[in-house]
Structures are given as C-alpha cells and as structure tokens.
C-alpha cells in the first residue's frame, strides 16, 4: 500500500497534533514484545532495517549506526524509542524536556499547511522532567543513543534560565547519551534571545557544571540554533562552542519568517510558530547555516543538520554542506515510517555509484 496515495490523505483529515499523538502511542504499543517490534521493522523496511558499517558515524563523541536521528519534537515524552529504532533510525533526541509540567500554547497549534510542510506553535509542551525520566528508565539498558533536548518553562526569566536548563540536565546526567541546549524554539516568547553570547555562556557553564556532577562524567553537549540568525550571531554562538569545548551544533530549528509562511496563503503569514518540513526556502536556510559553520570553523565543529530533511537528496545536501549526521521530524509525517530505511538505502546506492567507502567522506565535500 502506498503511504502517500492511501494513508496520508486520510491523515490530512485529522488534526495534526492528534494524529501525531495517536501514531506515537501505536508505536509505543509495538514495543510490547520483540515479535511486534519485528513486525514494525518488517512493515517499514520490507524486510530488515538497513545495517551497513559504511553508514556508521561519530558526532561529538556519540556513535550512531547510520546518520539518521529522530529530532526533538517527535517524541517529546520518550515513549517510542525502541519503535523508532526498529524503523531504521540510529538514535532519538527526546524533548524538549522542561523542569516542571506545562501545557504549552493554546490549541490548535500545529497545522499541516501542505501534506509535508508544517507550522507548529506547541510552546514546549511537556509533562515535565520527572515523567520523561520515568519513561526513559523503564526501558532499562538501551543500546540506542538517546539525546535529551533541554528546554525551560515559559515563566522562567533570562536570569534564572541557566539554573532551569541545568536542573533538567542534572536529572538525566547518568541516563542520556548526549544533551542539546534548545535556545532556538520560536514558540516560547523571548527564548531565542538566549542565543546571545552572554546568556548562552551562562547557560553552557551551568549545564556543564551539572553534567560534571555526574558519576558517569561529562556527557556530549550540543547547542541548537535558529535558521533566522544573521551570520554574525551564528559566529557568536560558535565562539561559545569553541571556548567551552562543546561537542557541536545542531543546525537548525524551525523558521518563523512570515514570508515563508505567506507562500502558502495570506492567512498563514501571521500565524504564530515555526515552519518545518519539505519547504525549499526553509531547507536552504538551514543548509546555509550548516555551510557557514563548517566553512568558518574549518570543519572542526561537529554539525548535525536539521531542516527540511525528507529523502536521500536532502540528506546528501546537508552532508555535503558539512553535517556529519541529520535529524528528521516532519519528514516522518510527509514520507511515512519507511523514510529512514529508504534514505539509508539511497545513501548506500549513492556511495556504490561514486566509489565512496565511508559516509564520512561526503561530509563537507561542497567545500573541497
């Protein structure tokens, strides 16, 4: 059965956020046994998930079986990690996770403006760090890299932000493979101002101290930035990354540019939230940030590319620009559960055709 022909049109009739919650819980149900997980794996791949040593990557000290990671926002509560791995992803970034439960912005707050382009203004809705922690620890020992995307409650002041980020990091310090500081969501008022150097330095220092308290030692730490930053502002972030020796940058979050929204109709121009998914302009904005980071740092800062990733071509675009791995969120909605295996298969075909023995050879190739 063709996902785009038969299933996606049915999903278009549902509220986007409702659909998302139902699919996540269905995937959670598939985790009940190894047998149901195997059925999910078969359904998404037509056989077994793609495994090939040539696809292995290491980003900021974290090893992944392939370069595809589920980005923050898809599984905010850590309820479908094993299922997402079964359909072909190499890791899952959970969250954003905030210290205390919060409902987020009023509904409706997530709109599929085309079958593969989304506007969301969720507002870091979360059950809070304690419930997410319980969900993660219920899995027991996981061989799947799980990142925790660190957020803050909407009522936290800029002065208290370092403490709030650090509190979440401290809660997960012995259980996560890596952490990402989210200072780039457009859906919490004032949050993007924390990308400024002074605020970001204070946040990074607090989080690093929290992770340093861990019995497991210091964990990998990334910062996620906006595609709407001017090059000079990106450079300020990079100074913090290099000064503090962070693991890398995730580029980028969604775009809040009104002109991008208006392309889909004047009614969308002033709708709150960020655009994600298969929009050429958004994807290009994100890729240009990846390219700027790689070029500015001479490839010395590890990059995870995010923004408009939905197929093999868009993954290759990010890798060539300088990313070592990519994240997918809205692409799961646009392409269906087969998206990861389809991309990985396409990457191997590209490598075979071009005599590439290791996927790391593609990273930054646009700059050589």
């Amino acid at each position: 059965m063709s996902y785009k022909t038969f299933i996606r049109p049915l999903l278009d009739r549902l509220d986007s956020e409702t659909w998302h919650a139902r699919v996540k819980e269905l995937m959670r149900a598939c985790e009940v046994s190894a047998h149901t997980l195997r059925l999910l794996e078969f359904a998404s791949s037509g056989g077994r998930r793609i495994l090939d040593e040539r696809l292995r990557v290491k980003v900021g000290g974290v090893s992944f079986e392939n370069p595809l990671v589920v980005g923050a926002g898809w599984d905010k509560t850590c309820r479908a990690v094993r299922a997402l791995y079964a359909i072909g992803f190499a890791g899952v970034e959970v969250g954003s996770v905030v210290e205390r439960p919060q409902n987020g912005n009023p509904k409706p707050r997530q709109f599929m403006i085309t079958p593969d382009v989304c506007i969301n203004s969720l507002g870091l809705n979360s059950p809070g760090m304690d419930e997410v922690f319980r969900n993660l620890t219920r899995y027991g020992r996981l061989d799947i890299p799980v990142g925790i995307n660190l957020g803050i409650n909407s009522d936290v002041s800029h002065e208290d932000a370092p403490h709030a980020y650090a509190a979440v990091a401290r809660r997960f310090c012995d259980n996560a493979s890596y952490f990402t500081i989210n200072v780039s969501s457009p859906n919490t008022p004032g949050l993007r101002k924390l990308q400024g150097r002074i605020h970001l330095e204070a946040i990074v220092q607090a989080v690093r101290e929290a992770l340093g308290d861990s019995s497991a030692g210091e964990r990998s730490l990334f910062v996620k930035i906006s595609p709407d930053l001017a090059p000079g502002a990106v450079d300020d972030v990079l100074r913090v990354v290099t000064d503090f020796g962070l693991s890398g940058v995730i580029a980028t979050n969604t775009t809040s540019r009104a002109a991008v929204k208006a392309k889909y109709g004047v009614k969308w121009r002033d709708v709150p939230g960020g655009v994600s998914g298969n929009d050429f302009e958004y994807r290009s904005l994100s890729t240009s940030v990846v390219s700027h980071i790689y070029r500015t740092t001479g490839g010395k800062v590890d990059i995870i590319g995010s923004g408009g990733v939905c197929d093999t071509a868009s993954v290759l675009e990010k890798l060539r620009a300088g990313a070592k791995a990519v994240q997918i969120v809205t692409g799961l909605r646009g392409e269906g559960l087969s998206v990861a295996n389809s991309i990985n298969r396409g990457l191997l075909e590209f490598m075979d055709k071009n005599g590439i023995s290791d996927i790391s050879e593609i990273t930054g190739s646009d700059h050589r």
Side-chain angles (χ1 to χ4, degrees), residues 54 347-359 361-362:
R54 293 174 293 169
L347 290 173
L348 289 171
E349 290 172 357
F350 174 85
M351 292 166 67
D352 287 339
K353 183 179 179 180
N354 291 276
I356 297 171
S357 60
D358 190 290
I359 196 164
E361 297 174 36
I362 304 174

Side-chain angles (χ1 to χ4, degrees), residues 180-197:
T180 300
I181 297 171
N182 179 9
V183 284
S184 53
S185 169
N187 304 321
T188 297
L191 186 73
R192 286 189 166 183
K193 293 181 180 178
L194 297 178
Q195 293 174 112
R197 186 172 180 178

Side-chain angles (χ1 to χ4, degrees), residues 32-45:
V32 68
S33 71
H35 178 66
T36 51
L37 273 176
R38 177 71 185 95
L39 288 175
L40 178 63
E41 180 181 345
F42 181 85
S44 64
S45 65

Side-chain angles (χ1 to χ4, degrees), residues 68-127:
L68 307 183
V69 180
V70 179
W74 204 95
D75 188 1
K76 287 174 172 280
T77 53
C78 198
R79 288 182 60 82
V81 172
R82 288 197 186 279
L84 289 165
Y85 176 79
I87 66 172
F89 289 94
V92 180
E93 186 169 312
V94 171
S96 292
V97 182
V98 296
E99 187 175 6
R100 294 170 280 107
Q102 70 177 12
N103 293 324
N105 293 322
K107 297 180 180 181
R109 55 194 182 181
Q110 183 168 301
F111 308 95
M112 296 305 300
I113 53 178
T114 75
D116 54 6
V117 177
C118 179
I119 294 178
N120 97 75
S121 58
L122 294 170
L124 302 190
N125 56 310
S126 171

Side-chain angles (χ1 to χ4, degrees), residues 16 18 20 32 67 69 76 88 114 125 149 224 265 285 297 320-321:
S16 178
T18 301
H20 186 101
V32 68
V69 180
K76 287 174 172 280
T114 75
N125 56 310
N149 185 284
K224 187 172 186 177
L285 283 169
T297 65
R320 287 172 175 144

Side-chain angles (χ1 to χ4, degrees), residues 7 9 29 37 65 93 115 145 152 169 198 218 247 273 278 285 294 310 332 338 343 361:
I7 298 177
L37 273 176
E65 288 182 355
E93 186 169 312
I152 57 173
I198 293 175
E218 203 171 273
S247 305
N278 190 21
L285 283 169
Y294 186 91
C310 61
L332 262 163
S338 65
I343 291 172
E361 297 174 36

Side-chain angles (χ1 to χ4, degrees), residues 54-323:
R54 293 174 293 169
L55 292 177
R56 286 188 174 273
V57 296
K58 191 169 187 178
V59 191
V62 185
S63 297
F64 297 99
E65 288 182 355
N66 64 62
L68 307 183
V69 180
V70 179
W74 204 95
D75 188 1
K76 287 174 172 280
T77 53
C78 198
R79 288 182 60 82
V81 172
R82 288 197 186 279
L84 289 165
Y85 176 79
I87 66 172
F89 289 94
V92 180
E93 186 169 312
V94 171
S96 292
V97 182
V98 296
E99 187 175 6
R100 294 170 280 107
Q102 70 177 12
N103 293 324
N105 293 322
K107 297 180 180 181
R109 55 194 182 181
Q110 183 168 301
F111 308 95
M112 296 305 300
I113 53 178
T114 75
D116 54 6
V117 177
C118 179
I119 294 178
N120 97 75
S121 58
L122 294 170
L124 302 190
N125 56 310
S126 171
M129 65 181 184
D130 290 337
E131 182 171 330
V132 178
F133 179 79
R134 286 191 291 270
N135 291 340
L136 177 57
T137 54
R138 282 193 193 107
Y139 281 109
R141 178 178 173 79
L142 270 173
D143 294 326
I144 306 162
V146 175
I148 298 296
N149 185 284
L150 306 173
I152 57 173
N153 291 93
S154 58
D155 60 354
V156 172
S157 68
H158 287 178
E159 290 72 26
D160 292 333
H163 168 79
Y165 282 106
V168 182
R170 189 175 294 110
R171 188 72 170 100
F172 291 89
C173 61
D174 293 317
N175 300 86
S177 302
Y178 70 91
F179 295 86
T180 300
I181 297 171
N182 179 9
V183 284
S184 53
S185 169
N187 304 321
T188 297
L191 186 73
R192 286 189 166 183
K193 293 181 180 178
L194 297 178
Q195 293 174 112
R197 186 172 180 178
I198 293 175
H199 288 303
L200 187 57
E201 283 181 345
I203 293 166
V204 168
Q205 186 168 347
V207 171
R208 289 291 289 269
E209 289 173 358
L211 297 180
D213 293 339
S214 165
S215 60
E218 203 171 273
R219 298 286 183 172
S220 296
L221 180 60
F222 297 82
V223 60
K224 187 172 186 177
I225 63 175
S226 165
D228 303 326
L229 285 179
V234 174
D235 292 342
D236 283 344
V237 172
L238 293 178
R239 291 187 189 98
V240 178
V241 170
T242 55
D243 287 351
F244 284 84
L246 299 193
S247 305
V249 177
I250 299 179
T252 65
N253 215 312
T254 58
T255 179
S256 57
R257 296 190 182 195
V260 176
K261 300 175 189 178
K263 293 188 303 183
Y264 299 95
V266 67
K267 70 175 184 177
W268 298 113
R269 182 180 181 87
D270 297 318
V271 170
V275 174
S276 63
N278 190 21
D279 176 87
F280 175 79
E281 187 174 354
Y282 165 56
R283 185 171 68 251
S284 298
L285 283 169
S286 169
T287 303
S288 68
V289 176
V290 172
S291 184
H292 177 84
I293 294 170
Y294 186 91
R295 186 172 59 252
T296 301
T297 65
K300 294 179 180 178
V301 168
D302 283 1
I303 307 165
I304 299 177
S306 179
V309 177
C310 61
D311 56 16
T312 301
S314 54
V315 172
L316 287 170
E317 177 185 295
K318 291 288 192 289
L319 297 180
R320 287 172 175 144

